Amino acid sequence: MTDNNRFVSTDWLAAHLGEPGLAIVDGSWHMPASGRKAREEYRAAHIPGAVFFDVDAVSDASSGLPHMLPGEAQFAQAAGALGLTNDSTIVVYDSVGLFSAARVWWTLRAFGAKNVFVLDGGLPKWLAEGRPTEAGDAAPAPATFAARLDRSLVAGMADVAAASIDGTAQVLDARSAERFSGDAPDPRPGVRPGHIPGARNLPFNAVVKDGRLADPATIRAAVEAAGIDTDRPVITSCGSGVTAAILWLALDAIGTPPAALYDGSWSEWGASDQPAAIGPA
């Protein structure tokens, strides 16, 4: 494992493949416009023993919003079907390097998984090192996962609206500068351009380098440049709650974890009657 207890190295994972209690999770997810199909890519080649965590399927379909957190019963059933328990040593990766794995890492922890890590460099690093893969679907033995959502980690629209008005927390948006400012349209129909009034912008790719989390000095500089005071609470946000988890992971890695993640993020806010700001922060 690495020294910050959030990541494991490819060397570590290769040395522990097949050990009892180890669960490997492919948490790949791609933006709809990318044309990529995460499950099909998983079936073509994945790390031996890895199960596929479908970010869209393990969600609250009734919300009308993309991949919102599911209820506890739904999550317990899904995690158990993947062979996960609360005490499993879970290593999450994705096919980009560091993208949707952060969301799956955050989700598992929020529902009560005790030992969750992200594979440093993800599948691209694993493949570049010539390590083995397998094809098809894994068939894990069913397990019992006792899902208990830590609701303090999840911000809703009302929480974010209060933070926007009275400054009780800083909202940090992981979207691109163009989408944050409103210079680029939102890719989702019916969602306005712009950002939550008072929010600050830190595009997630400022803290990711070559598919890996940037070093602490780079993260701290990026957070400071975004105008964030790490001594005050932070709510991370983005387009739909995926890259907000990358900012969570980055802030956690420098010892200042956020207060909450806005599940729904701009997909919810931008389609509501809440005020929207245009221009830079």
Side-chain angles (χ1 to χ4, degrees):
M1 296 185 183
T2 58
D3 58 3
N4 63 21
N5 285 333
R6 294 161 192 84
F7 293 89
V8 298
S9 68
T10 50
D11 285 341
W12 185 93
L13 184 57
H16 292 81
L17 282 180
E19 288 189 356
L22 174 66
I24 307 171
V25 175
D26 184 324
S28 300
W29 176 86
H30 304 293
M31 291 289 290
S34 71
R36 295 180 64 175
K37 305 295 184 182
R39 186 181 287 274
E40 292 179 12
E41 292 180 14
Y42 161 82
R43 286 174 174 154
H46 56 263
I47 294 175
V51 295
F52 183 74
F53 185 103
D54 191 326
V55 172
D56 288 324
V58 187
S59 68
D60 179 7
S62 69
S63 73
L65 297 168
H67 35 255
M68 292 283 285
L69 290 177
E72 292 174 341
Q74 181 186 351
F75 189 86
Q77 190 281 326
L82 294 177
L84 307 180
T85 73
N86 300 74
D87 295 317
S88 300
T89 296
I90 304 172
V91 178
V92 185
Y93 72 87
D94 65 49
S95 57
V96 174
L98 180 58
F99 186 58
S100 54
R103 170 72 184 198
V104 177
W105 169 84
W106 176 82
T107 300
L108 285 162
R109 293 172 77 241
F111 275 104
K114 300 174 184 176
N115 306 296
V116 192
F117 306 90
V118 174
L119 180 63
D120 186 28
L123 186 61
K125 189 171 187 292
W126 183 270
L127 295 175
E129 294 166 348
R131 301 188 188 274
T133 62
E134 62 185 16
D137 287 310
T144 298
F145 190 100
R148 297 291 183 270
L149 179 61
D150 184 349
R151 300 184 186 279
S152 71
L153 302 180
V154 187
M157 184 186 290
D159 303 309
V160 177
S164 174
I165 293 168
D166 59 28
T168 51
Q170 304 161 98
V171 179
L172 185 59
D173 192 322
R175 294 177 300 156
S176 69
E178 294 77 16
R179 286 180 62 191
F180 179 87
S181 67
D183 290 332
D186 194 273
R188 294 180 174 85
V191 179
R192 297 167 292 168
H195 60 268
I196 298 163
R200 311 298 295 187
N201 185 213
L202 176 52
F204 75 90
N205 55 15
V207 297
V208 176
K209 302 297 181 184
D210 300 320
R212 305 170 74 179
L213 193 66
D215 62 273
T218 297
I219 295 171
R220 290 190 184 96
V223 170
E224 182 178 349
I228 291 296
D229 179 355
T230 53
D231 290 330
R232 296 178 54 230
V234 174
I235 297 172
T236 61
S237 181
C238 61
S240 63
V242 173
T243 58
I246 298 177
L247 294 189
W248 183 294
L249 184 61
L251 287 164
D252 191 40
I254 61 171
T256 57
L261 182 151
Y262 178 16
D263 196 33
S265 288
W266 189 251
S267 292
E268 179 179 45
W269 190 283
S272 74
D273 58 2
Q274 295 283 355
I278 297 294

